[in-house]
Amino acid sequence: NAKDNEKVLILCFNSGLNEYLSQKYSKDNLTISTFHQLLIDIADIEVPDNLPKNWFDNELLNTASDKIIENDIKFDYLIIDEFQDIVSETNLIILDMLLTGGLKAGKWHFFADFENQVLYHKTSNPEFTLDKFLEQSAFSFYLRVNCRNTYNIVKMIEQHINIEPYYQVIRPDGNMLPSRYQYKDNNEQLENIERNLEKLLKVYSKEEIIFLSPKKKGIVESYNAKHPDKKIYEYNFKEIKQNQPGPYFSTIKGFKGLEFNTIMVVDIASE
């Protein structure tokens, strides 16, 4: 409930999510950025071509902290998504400097999944690191209602990873139930993609389908080489409404934090 005259800072770790939020929400008192891009802008420096080891955690942090003090840069309200990707002792010092009243007395909301989404391991226990910095336990509200996935998608996920059960799954199942297809090699995977994409296109439009892969160059590249007239286009995070007709492609890491109507996950090894 930030007031119109309050300066609000919204941070995330993923650049794709940042692009989406920046285009969807635009106000004079609202600053939306990734954590590192904010520090680069504050420090007014460029990322070196031959990036020294730990440059982001040392030189960037030190230069940005000096500029924050020098220019008295403050925000009245701090919102962070995917906080588990940002939290570390040194990063908390920067956030504390940026927030009016600091983290102990200032106004903030942090959204995090400490159970299943800690990808970067900046600290061994992100939740404890925050509590230690605050010198008390932060007030936590656990979101156990799934608003994003359908019931059958949740059940499929529960078969593969150990997650705390949800109290409720809100989104109804779509026109096609989730399915899984195994493949012994890339030729068979390509055949699976061709067959299932054809099925999907009988129900959904091309613009409703995205392929996600852990690889930048994987089976989608092979598909495009075989089907240049039915290309799968790389998703452009700078466009909310894509200029290309679809279907689309992104890495799983690049798409983290976003959602899409119909998703096909590829290039996943069974081990």
Side-chain angles (χ1 to χ4, degrees):
N1 296 323
K3 299 175 182 177
D4 288 339
N5 62 343
E6 286 186 315
K7 292 174 64 180
V8 180
L9 174 61
I10 300 178
L11 292 179
C12 59
F13 194 87
N14 186 287
S15 58
L17 179 59
N18 169 57
E19 290 286 352
Y20 174 81
L21 293 174
S22 297
Q23 292 180 64
K24 189 165 184 178
Y25 305 101
S26 177
K27 286 186 176 181
D28 291 339
N29 68 327
L30 196 62
T31 299
I32 302 174
S33 179
T34 64
F35 179 68
H36 286 134
Q37 187 58 54
L38 176 75
L39 298 188
I40 291 168
D41 292 341
I42 290 173
D44 194 23
I45 57 177
E46 295 184 0
V47 179
D49 293 331
N50 298 317
L51 196 64
K53 186 179 180 181
N54 298 324
W55 182 86
F56 284 98
D57 296 324
N58 292 324
E59 183 175 342
L60 178 59
L61 284 180
N62 291 334
T63 307
S65 62
D66 289 343
K67 290 287 187 179
I68 291 169
I69 296 170
E70 179 184 332
N71 298 316
D72 192 26
I73 300 172
K74 293 287 185 183
F75 293 90
D76 302 303
Y77 210 115
L78 175 60
I79 300 171
I80 301 180
D81 191 38
E82 305 288 2
F83 177 65
Q84 75 280 352
D85 294 337
I86 294 175
V87 59
S88 70
E89 292 180 8
T90 52
N91 288 353
L92 288 175
I93 292 172
I94 294 290
L95 297 173
D96 188 68
M97 295 170 66
L98 286 169
L99 183 62
T100 300
L103 292 177
K104 292 182 181 179
K107 294 185 286 187
W108 52 265
H109 279 87
F110 297 161
F111 299 89
D113 184 348
F114 295 118
E115 296 175 4
N116 302 302
Q117 292 287 328
V118 181
L119 302 183
Y120 299 99
H121 300 284
K122 291 179 175 293
T123 178
S124 58
N125 190 327
E127 202 167 6
F128 174 76
T129 300
L130 175 60
D131 290 347
K132 183 181 177 182
F133 188 90
L134 297 174
E135 297 180 333
Q136 61 180 335
S137 294
F139 176 78
S140 299
F141 180 79
Y142 292 93
L143 302 176
R144 294 298 182 194
V145 175
N146 191 313
C147 306
R148 171 174 284 183
N149 304 117
T150 66
Y151 174 82
N152 280 290
I153 288 176
V154 170
K155 289 303 171 187
M156 176 178 281
I157 292 170
E158 288 176 343
Q159 293 174 7
H160 295 280
I161 62 174
N162 183 26
I163 60 173
E164 193 77 20
Y166 292 105
Y167 299 143
Q168 185 181 7
V169 178
I170 292 178
R171 182 170 286 182
D173 281 310
N175 295 321
M176 295 180 67
L177 294 178
S179 55
R180 180 182 61 185
Y181 298 90
Q182 292 182 307
Y183 58 91
K184 63 178 182 293
D185 54 35
N186 276 338
N187 288 331
E188 188 172 1
Q189 181 181 200
L190 184 56
E191 291 173 3
N192 283 340
I193 289 174
E194 291 168 334
R195 182 171 59 254
N196 285 285
L197 181 56
E198 186 176 342
K199 290 180 183 178
L200 287 173
L201 289 172
K202 292 178 180 177
V203 180
Y204 302 101
S205 70
K206 294 186 291 184
E207 289 76 17
E208 293 181 283
I209 302 170
I210 192 168
F211 288 79
L212 298 181
S213 170
K215 302 176 181 179
K216 288 185 177 181
K217 294 186 177 182
I219 196 64
V220 168
E221 188 175 50
S222 301
Y223 176 92
N224 284 341
K226 185 177 179 180
H227 302 282
D229 57 328
K230 297 186 290 184
K231 187 177 178 181
I232 297 171
Y233 293 92
E234 186 171 354
Y235 187 84
N236 187 347
F237 291 100
K238 296 183 182 296
E239 300 172 352
I240 291 181
K241 182 173 176 57
Q242 301 290 298
N243 284 327
Q244 299 291 355
Y248 306 108
F249 163 77
S250 173
T251 62
I252 294 172
K253 182 179 177 181
F255 209 74
K256 187 172 184 284
L258 297 173
E259 60 182 30
F260 218 75
N261 191 32
T262 307
I263 297 173
M264 189 181 294
V265 182
V266 297
D267 297 316
I268 300 296
S270 60
E271 299 86 50

